[in-house]
Structures are given as C-alpha cells and as structure tokens.
C-alpha cells in the first residue's frame, strides 16, 4: 500500500458569515507540497474571502485551517506568515516608496536575529546578517527576472514586473504555501507567459504548495493539477482540469442555466 | 567586511562631524559678548529643536502616523532632568555647576530623561497605536494636554517644592538651568547630544527596523502579510521617538532658567509647540532626517529674526504689519513649501556628503528634463 502524501495546507469545514450572509461555508481543501491547485469561481463567489481566511485576515466563524496538521486558530496575520503561509494581492500592494530590493528585504524582517543594539552600534553581526540578506534577496529577484532593477523604486516598475516583485516578496517569507490572488490580472499574453514560467520555476525549485486564484482560464487549465470551483461560497466541484471543464454545474455557474 | 564604499562613507561623515564639532566649539568659546549673549543660546535652542523634529520624523515620516503630542514627552524629559539634578544638588552630591560630579549628574539626567519619556512612550503607544489617522492624532493631542495637567498637579513639581507649575528660579541657581557663561562652557554637551542622537536615529532607520516601519507607512496590509509584526514595530518606533524627545527635554531644562508647563502646552504660541514641530517635519520632508535638521534650523532662524531682526523694520509698513503675526508668516511659508516642494525642501533624497560630487550631474539632468518637457509641450 503506497503511503499517502501528507497535505501541507488543509482546511476543515471552513466558513465565515458577515451578519446573516454566509460568504463562505464548509470549505474543504488540502494541498500537498509541490502541488499547484487552482481556485476558480464567478465574480463575488468568495475566492478572495477564502484567501483572507487562509491568511488570518478574517477570523473564521466555523472550521479550522491546519498547516502541517497544526491548527492556526486565533493567530494573527504575521503569525500565519511566520508559520509558512504567504500571499500576493489581487490589487497590487507594494511598498511604493521603497526600492525593489528593500521590498524583498522587508519580508526577511521576521528572520533577522540582530536587535536594536546591533542596529544602533553597527556590530559585526549587523553587517554579516545584512550582507547575507542582500545576497538572498538578489537570488530571489533573479528567479523573478528583476535582478537588474534592484535599486529602482517599486512604484516605477511596469505593471507586469510589479506583479513579479510581489511574488518575490512572498517567496522571501520562506513559506510552505503560496497563495496567488489573480497574478495574471491585467497582463498581456507575453507577460502572462513570462509569469507562467516564473510560477513553474518556483514550484520546481522550492517544492512548495501553490494555491492560485485566476480568471484567465487558459492559464488555469495549463498549470493547475487540480481545480476547485466555488460559487456563492459553496464548493460546487473539484477535480482535474478536464473534468472541471465538462462539469455541468460549473458551466451553469459561469454561463447561467 | 564593509565593502563597496560603505566604510569610506562612514569615515568621511565621521571626520566631517568631528571637524564641525571642534570648529563650533573653538569659534563659540572665543567669541565676544554677542556670541555669548545671542549666538550660543540660539545654538542651544536649535539643538533641542533639531532632535525634536528628527525624532517626530521617525513617527510621522517613517512610520506614517500623525502624533500631535510630541511636546508631552519633551515635558516629561525636561521635568525629570530638572528634578534629578535638583535632587542630587540637595543631597550634596555637587556644590557648583562644574567638575566631574556635576558632569556625571548632567549626563545621568539626560539619559534618565530619555528613559522615562520612553517608558511613557510605551504606555501611551500600546493603546494609542491601535488607532489610525485622525483618531491617533486626537488621542495624542489629548495625551499632550493630560501630561501638562498631571505635571501641574504633582506636589513635588507644582505647589510645594518648585512653585505652581514650574521648577522656578531654584533651577537657575542650583539645578540644570545654565547661565550664559555655562551655556558656552557646556556647549559641547548639547552638540554631542545632537550628533549622537542623530547618528542613532540614522542607524535605526537604516536597519531592518527602518525598513519595517517604512513598509508599514507604505502599505500596512502588505507589511503584515510579509510577516512584519505591525503593532510591535509601531510601539517600538513610538518608544524610540519618545526617548529622543525626552533627551530633548533635558537639553531644554539646561537652556532655560525656569520650567513652566505652559511652555509645553498645546496653546503655547511660541515655536515650541507640538503642531509647530509637525510643521518642521513637513517642511523638511517626511522621511528625511537631514531635511528635519535643516527645517528646524531654518524655522528657528525665521522665528528669531522676525522677533529680533532689524530687517523687519526695513520692510514697507503693510508688510511689517503682517510680521506682527509670526504664525501667519509660518503658515504662508508652509503653504509655499507644500505647493512647490510637496515632498519637503529636501526633495526626494537625504543630504549626503558623499553625493556632493554628483550634484553637478543631477542639476544638469534636472534642467535637461525640464527643457525636454517644455519642448514636448511646444510640439503638442
């Protein structure tokens, strides 16, 4: 009997209601490392709400999120990140007045050991850690093809590269699960293709689990191994891309009956 | 270890600061009566205004939170320092304001003022920094008012020991309050304090702490999602800022003959007012420490020359009338800066000695881009 892979991220009966509105209910998903899962659904179906639940922005009214089998109930957003859940945003949220490399270095903050005294008096430890961090940040920028833009202000990057910088910053948190919220939104086909290559490299070289929200169906069908579809906060289908494409419920949700 | 010119930059800055420090002391120590009566006291005032503006810049410019109660921390520092010095004097630790014993007390009171203000910073920061924007401004404004009233009503600050709401004339005679001669004698303490405080602030903002708090300013949600413990860094920055404001208070206690809580009150019409410190930070550029230094000195000089300058009398009569309302002049100055240099007088980079050789290139680039812009307009 083959040993079943243990999921990195798992949810059990996750749900949240705002007042009387059940935005998401009974959401179950499990992702193993190295897996790329797509989360799709019509507008307003609750996809981003699911992301907010998975990253601790919203506190679920029912159910739990488990990371490597450990429940993350009651933790704050930055503790979710420390545990290993990183995300990007649907509408880009970069640190505009900081340089590209600083944007990535912010994500290292929680891993830096030096304290106030080291910073104030510039101890050797400070220089050692800063140098190591610069090197690591440059490696991550290289993966996303931004190494020659390191000292440019983040706000002056073109749109596609801002998206990539967000991914680089998420990678810098040293996560086990990466949540990408519409990474290809507003991109032209060339940029989308580049992004696709970037995502594939990340998955192969980091061996992490990726959960992807996306409206670009060709992208979803191409890269995702499994797809979960939600509508009105309820999971209506999940399975392989080919199955999903032919599922009558999904077609009905997208096109109407 | 310190590669790519960082070591060289540190060295150049260190040498330049040392040269400035020694030069200032030599010039001020050997000046005539004018030097003693007006220049050195002005330098003392500049010293505490500079640290004040720079420390508020940590919260306002780097962390992006509006605090209107900064003078409250300064008041705490001033009273702590004054009372500590008086206590030592009454205990017979020192007789005259000279010698090693007094110097020790002076340094102790400066540090203790900072530490006490920082403690208060933690206490105020933990509840206050849960709020944002206008609400934080209101709560810090309230804090500034509360502090003044609390000090007024503490027995050993107020009624009994030192006279109602002031550490009164006793301070001048026996405590920290310096006479003009002593201001010259201890000028090095003030200058060294400024240099140390500014260096520490630079080290703070150019480390992981600086990056974290700037990320909070730029986008709090993204910052939290990048693993930054937002509340911790907010309170920490508030505390560090309060520490330096407390140090400022100690310098203030040194350079004034008596302490009165009215000088830290929100209604105080002089340059030492929490709102005026905010103006200094805005004029100097939010997020640029060197800008705060320059703005503090420029606004002090403006304030000083409007009060004492001969040039005001030389102006036409209708303009003179405007200058009888100095606050009006500052507002106009602020509006001009906001319109023409919205990022502050510094523009978008810190002043750095090592960048001076590059200035020519930057100017050329600037004029070239302006010219190009105009030509583009003409073509359209």
């Amino acid at each position: 009997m083959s040993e079943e892979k243990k999921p990195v991220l798992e949810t059990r009966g996750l749900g949240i209601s705002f007042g009387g509105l059940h935005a998401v209910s009974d959401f179950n998903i499990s992702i193993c490392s190295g897996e790329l899962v797509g989360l799709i659904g019509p507008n307003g179906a609750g996809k981003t709400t699911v992301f907010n639940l998975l990253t601790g922005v919203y506190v679920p009214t029912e159910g739990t999120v488990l990371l490597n089998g450990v429940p993350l109930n009651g933790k704050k957003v930055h503790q979710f990140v420390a545990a290993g859940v990183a995300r990007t945003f649907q509408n880009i949220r970069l640190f505009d007045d900081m340089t590209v490399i600083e944007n990535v270095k912010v994500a290292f903050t929680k891993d830096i050991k030096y304290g106030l005294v080291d910073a104030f008096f510039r101890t050797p430890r400070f220089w050692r850690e800063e140098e190591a961090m610069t090197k690591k940040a440059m490696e991550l920028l290289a993966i996303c093809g931004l190494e020659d833009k390191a000292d440019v202000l983040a706000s002056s990057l073109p749109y596609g590269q801002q998206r990539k910088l967000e991914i680089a910053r998420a990678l810098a948190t040293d996560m086990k699960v990466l949540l990408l919220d519409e990474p290809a939104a507003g991109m032209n086909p060339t940029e989308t293709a580049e992004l696709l290559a970037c995502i594939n490299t990340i998955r192969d070289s980091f061996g992490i689990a990726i959960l992807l929200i996306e409206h670009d169906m060709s992208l979803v069908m191409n890269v995702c191994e499994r797809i979960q579809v939600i509508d009105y906060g309820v999971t209506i289908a999940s399975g392989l891309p080919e199955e999903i494409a032919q599922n009558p419920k999904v077609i009905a949700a997208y096109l109407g009956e | 270890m310190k590669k790519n010119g960082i070591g060289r930059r540190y060295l150049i800055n260190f040498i330049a600061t040392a040269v400035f420090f020694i030069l200032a002391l030599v010039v001020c120590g050997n000046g005539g009566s004018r030097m003693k009566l007006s220049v050195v006291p002005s330098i003392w005032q500049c010293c505490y205004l500079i640290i004040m503006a720079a420390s508020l810049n940590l919260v306002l410019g780097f962390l992006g939170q509006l605090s209107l109660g900064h003078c409250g921390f300064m008041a705490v520092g001033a009273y702590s320092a004054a009372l500590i010095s008086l206590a030592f004097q009454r205990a017979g630790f020192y007789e005259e304001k000279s010698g090693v014993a007094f110097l020790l007390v002076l340094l102790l009171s400066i540090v203790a003022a900072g530490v006490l203000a920082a403690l208060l910073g933690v206490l105020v920061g933990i509840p206050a920094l849960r709020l944002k924007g206008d609400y934080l401004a209101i709560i810090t404004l309230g804090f500034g008012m509360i502090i003044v009233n609390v000090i007024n009503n503490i027995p050993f600050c107020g009624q009994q020991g030192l006279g109602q709401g002031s550490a009164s004339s006793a301070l001048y005679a026996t405590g920290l309050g310096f006479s003009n001669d002593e201001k010259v004698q201890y000028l090095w303490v003030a200058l060294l304090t400024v240099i140390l405080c500014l260096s520490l602030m630079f080290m703070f903002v150019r480390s992981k702490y600086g990056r974290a708090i700037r990320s909070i300013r730029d986008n709090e949600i993204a910052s939290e999602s990048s693993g930054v413990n937002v509340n911790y860094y907010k309170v920490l920055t508030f505390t560090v800022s309060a520490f330096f404001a407390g140090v400022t208070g100690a310098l203030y206690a040194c350079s004034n003959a008596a302490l009165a809580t009215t000088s830290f009150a929100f209604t105080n019409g002089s340059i030492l007012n929490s709102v005026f410190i905010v103006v200094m930070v805005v004029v100097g550029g939010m997020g640029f420490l060197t800008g705060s230094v320059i703005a503090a000195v420029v606004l002090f000089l403006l304030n000083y020359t409007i009060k004492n300058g001969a040039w005001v009398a030389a102006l036409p009569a209708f303009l003179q009338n405007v200058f009888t309302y100095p606050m009006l002049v500052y507002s106009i100055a602020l509006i001009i800066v906001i319109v023409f240099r919205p990022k502050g007088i510094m523009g978008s980079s810190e002043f750095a000695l090592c960048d001076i050789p590059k200035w020519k290139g930057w100017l050329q680039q600037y004029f070239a881009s302006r010219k190009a812009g105009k030509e583009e307009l003409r073509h359209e």
Side-chain angles (χ1 to χ4, degrees):
Chain A
M1 205 175 118
S2 74
E3 200 181 321
E4 201 166 296
K5 263 176 106 181
K6 248 182 103 183
V8 186
L9 183 76
E10 198 182 356
T11 65
R12 286 190 195 141
L14 198 64
I16 186 170
S17 25
F18 300 106
L21 176 78
H22 295 281
V24 173
S25 48
D26 197 26
F27 182 80
N28 293 297
I29 197 169
S30 64
I31 313 171
C32 305
S33 44
E35 216 178 8
L36 209 164
V37 180
L39 180 65
I40 63 171
N43 286 330
K47 304 182 293 289
T48 300
T49 309
V50 167
F51 265 34
N52 284 337
L53 286 169
L54 293 179
T55 52
V57 176
Y58 293 155
V59 181
T61 44
E62 59 214 53
T64 46
V65 180
L66 296 114
L67 193 80
N68 281 332
V70 183
L72 294 175
N73 287 15
K75 295 218 163 144
K76 299 212 179 86
V77 177
H78 67 91
Q79 289 167 321
F80 268 75
V81 181
V85 185
R87 74 175 291 184
T88 66
F89 293 90
Q90 187 173 1
N91 44 345
I92 300 177
R93 289 177 185 274
L94 289 173
F95 310 127
D96 284 343
D97 283 343
M98 299 169 74
T99 61
V100 167
I101 193 160
E102 279 177 328
N103 263 272
V104 177
K105 280 179 177 178
V106 166
F108 289 134
T109 305
K110 66 181 170 61
D111 300 322
I112 300 174
K113 295 288 184 297
Y114 70 71
L116 264 183
V117 175
D118 296 296
F120 274 149
F121 300 107
R122 291 291 193 260
T123 56
R125 189 180 182 189
F126 172 88
W127 293 110
R128 206 167 49 232
E129 290 204 25
E130 285 282 321
E131 209 167 298
M133 191 168 51
T134 309
K135 220 173 126 198
K136 247 165 83 183
M138 286 309 287
E139 280 168 17
L140 287 174
L141 286 180
I143 290 175
C144 298
L146 292 168
E147 68 270 38
D148 51 339
K149 296 276 175 94
D151 294 321
V152 176
L153 276 189
S155 54
S156 64
L157 287 182
Y159 186 82
Q161 291 184 339
Q162 290 196 4
R163 282 269 177 218
K164 283 189 188 166
L165 177 57
E166 249 201 334
I167 295 176
R169 188 180 67 192
L171 287 178
T173 61
D174 191 24
M175 77 283 112
K176 301 184 186 88
V177 185
L178 180 61
L179 309 175
L180 301 173
D181 199 345
E182 298 203 26
M187 281 188 169
N188 64 33
T190 338
E191 285 173 326
T192 311
E194 276 176 31
L195 182 81
L196 206 70
C198 182
I199 292 176
N200 277 327
T201 327
I202 290 165
R203 189 184 44 164
D204 295 342
S205 55
F206 288 82
I208 52 171
I210 300 178
L211 180 63
L212 180 85
I213 292 180
E214 188 49 71
H215 276 300
D216 186 334
M217 279 306 154
S218 67
L219 191 144
V220 175
M221 295 293 166
N222 269 331
V223 298
C224 295
E225 287 146 21
R226 280 192 297 125
I227 293 175
Q228 186 149 354
V229 193
I230 58 174
D231 192 19
Y232 295 113
V234 182
T235 307
I236 55 171
S238 74
L240 299 172
E242 305 86 67
E243 296 167 10
I244 295 296
Q246 270 135 36
N247 189 313
K249 267 185 173 173
V250 177
I251 296 168
Y254 268 91
L255 301 174
E257 290 177 69
Chain B
M1 181 169 50
K2 286 154 219 168
K3 276 182 238 153
N4 49 34
I6 295 178
R8 198 175 62 98
R9 275 175 164 248
Y10 276 71
L11 194 67
I12 289 176
N13 286 339
F14 179 77
I15 291 170
T17 316
V19 168
F20 167 78
F21 179 63
I22 292 165
L23 214 62
L25 288 185
V26 169
V27 171
C28 293
N30 299 315
S33 65
R34 186 159 177 266
M35 185 68 88
K36 199 168 82 181
L37 293 178
S38 62
V39 176
V40 172
S42 300
I43 294 177
W44 272 87
Q45 286 198 48
C46 275
C47 284
Y48 62 69
L49 288 174
I50 286 172
I51 309 181
M52 203 60 189
S55 65
L56 182 62
N57 206 342
L58 292 183
V59 172
L60 184 58
F62 289 90
L63 185 62
Q65 310 292 327
L66 179 56
S67 160
L68 289 178
H70 212 52
C71 281
F73 295 116
M74 187 177 175
V76 173
Y79 274 86
S80 315
L83 289 170
I84 287 169
S85 76
L86 281 181
F88 273 99
Q89 194 270 333
R90 284 179 193 173
F93 192 73
Y94 68 91
E95 294 291 322
E96 298 201 316
K97 282 190 245 179
S98 59
V100 182
F102 179 70
L103 202 60
L104 280 178
V105 173
L106 179 60
L107 295 181
L108 174 77
S109 51
I110 291 177
V111 174
V115 171
L116 282 169
L119 281 178
L120 203 69
V122 181
L123 287 181
V124 176
I126 289 172
L129 288 165
R130 292 171 163 265
L131 302 173
K132 280 176 201 153
D134 305 351
Y135 302 102
L136 180 67
I138 292 166
I139 206 172
T140 49
L141 176 65
F143 158 75
M145 291 177 167
I146 290 167
I147 273 296
V148 165
N149 284 312
V150 167
I151 293 176
N152 264 339
N153 287 296
I154 294 178
F156 52 84
C157 293
Q159 287 91 337
Q160 289 169 6
L162 306 162
Q164 176 71 40
S166 67
S168 82
S169 52
L171 188 63
Y172 188 76
T174 55
L176 281 183
F178 287 156
S179 67
N180 282 332
D181 282 325
E182 284 152 352
K183 275 184 193 166
V184 177
Q185 190 190 341
Y186 287 109
L187 185 64
W188 65 271
V189 175
L191 289 178
L192 202 62
T193 312
V194 172
I195 292 168
L196 277 178
C197 287
L198 281 177
S199 317
L200 289 181
M201 281 187 239
F202 264 108
M203 298 306 157
F204 182 75
V205 299
R206 296 199 172 157
S207 65
K208 71 166 179 177
Y209 298 97
R211 274 196 302 271
I213 64 178
R214 281 190 295 147
S215 78
I216 294 171
R217 171 195 67 190
D218 281 357
N219 200 320
E220 196 170 326
I221 294 172
S223 177
E224 204 169 14
S225 298
S226 302
V228 175
N229 187 346
V230 171
N231 283 335
Y232 169 77
Y233 281 99
K234 274 185 177 175
V235 175
L236 180 74
T237 311
F238 204 65
T239 309
V240 170
S241 170
F243 174 85
F244 290 118
V247 170
T248 315
L251 290 189
Y252 180 84
C254 289
S255 67
N256 282 277
L259 288 180
T261 41
T262 46
S263 43
F264 305 104
F266 196 72
T267 45
N268 174 18
S270 83
I271 193 166
L272 197 72
N273 176 315
S274 294
V275 175
F276 208 90
I277 309 293
V278 172
V279 171
M280 282 179 193
V281 174
V282 173
V283 168
M286 297 212 252
F288 301 108
L289 285 177
T290 47
S292 294
V293 175
I294 294 167
V297 175
V298 166
L299 285 177
F300 168 77
L301 288 177
L302 187 64
N303 176 58
Y304 188 80
T305 53
I306 286 175
K307 268 193 203 153
N308 310 319
W311 61 275
V312 177
L315 291 172
F318 72 100
L319 273 179
Q320 269 188 46
N321 290 339
V322 175
F323 278 94
T324 51
Y325 303 104
M327 279 297 159
L328 192 61
V329 181
Y330 308 141
S331 332
I332 295 170
L334 180 64
I335 291 171
I336 291 171
V337 169
I338 296 283
V339 170
F340 291 102
R341 306 277 308 193
K343 282 187 155 180
I345 47 177
M346 287 306 292
S348 52
S349 63
E350 292 273 17
F351 169 83
L353 282 175
C354 298
D355 287 342
I356 290 177
K358 295 185 207 155
W359 281 8
K360 203 180 154 201
W362 286 351
L363 277 177
Q364 281 168 350
Q365 217 177 353
Y366 174 73
F367 285 118
S369 68
R370 280 193 59 156
K371 208 174 162 193
K374 271 184 193 157
E375 238 145 61
E376 226 166 75
L377 279 177
R378 208 174 297 143
H379 285 303
E380 281 170 9

